[in-house]
Amino acid sequence: MERTLSIIKPDAVAKGVIGKILDRFESNGLKIAATRKMQLSRADAEAFYAVHSERSFFGDLVDFMISGPVVVSVLEGENAIAKNRQLMGATNPKEAEAGTIRADFAENIDANAVHGSDSAENAAVEIAFFFSGREIA
């Protein structure tokens, strides 16, 4: 059993597609072990994306992630990380395969609807950033 973090980003929340995205996870064998809708503070977004702090897009990324509420979830299942990344599609929605979350709901490479952990190590860190162990069922 593997866990991964998913974030439905402000653009997708604003479009009203939270339920459609969560259904994609469940319909593809991923269990939602924890979820919450929240507004990230600037400090939250800067800390979460600190790995990108030296990159030119960091400021725009932080501004985008605090522009509206997000839905953070812990997804659980067999090969959850790879499965979630496949469901999300390529980071650039113009390159994402038809039927993926980003192909269907993302506007562009910056407003790309969802975030998902890219490794087991990052998943553990990202999950702990948003959830305590007792919040995950």
Side-chain angles (χ1 to χ4, degrees):
M1 192 64 66
E2 190 174 67
R3 288 182 173 161
T4 189
L5 184 86
S6 168
I7 302 176
I8 301 175
K9 295 181 178 182
D11 58 314
V13 172
K15 286 181 183 175
V17 294
I18 296 167
K20 290 178 181 179
I21 293 173
L22 292 176
D23 181 61
R24 297 265 179 112
F25 301 144
E26 290 186 316
S27 295
N28 286 278
L30 293 173
K31 176 185 170 193
I32 299 168
T35 194
R36 85 163 48 99
K37 185 176 184 182
M38 63 187 298
Q39 177 69 48
L40 295 176
S41 69
R42 181 168 296 279
D44 290 336
E46 287 175 348
F48 185 77
Y49 287 107
V51 66
H52 299 301
S53 64
E54 300 302 317
R55 298 199 172 172
S56 61
F57 61 82
F58 179 72
D60 289 338
L61 174 60
V62 168
D63 288 343
F64 169 65
M65 290 302 293
I66 66 172
S67 68
V70 298
V71 174
V72 293
S73 301
V74 177
L75 306 177
E76 190 175 76
E78 210 171 303
N79 299 312
I81 295 166
K83 189 175 287 188
N84 183 41
R85 295 190 68 75
Q86 179 182 13
L87 292 170
M88 290 190 308
T91 302
N92 184 346
K94 291 178 182 173
E95 298 170 2
E97 287 186 40
T100 62
I101 293 168
R102 288 180 173 144
D104 291 345
F105 303 118
E107 296 172 28
N108 55 54
I109 196 166
D110 298 316
N112 65 1
V114 287
H115 163 91
S117 304
D118 63 1
S119 68
E121 297 77 21
N122 284 341
V125 170
E126 292 178 354
I127 289 167
F129 186 90
F130 289 106
F131 296 96
S132 70
R134 72 179 196 278
E135 294 175 301
I136 303 169

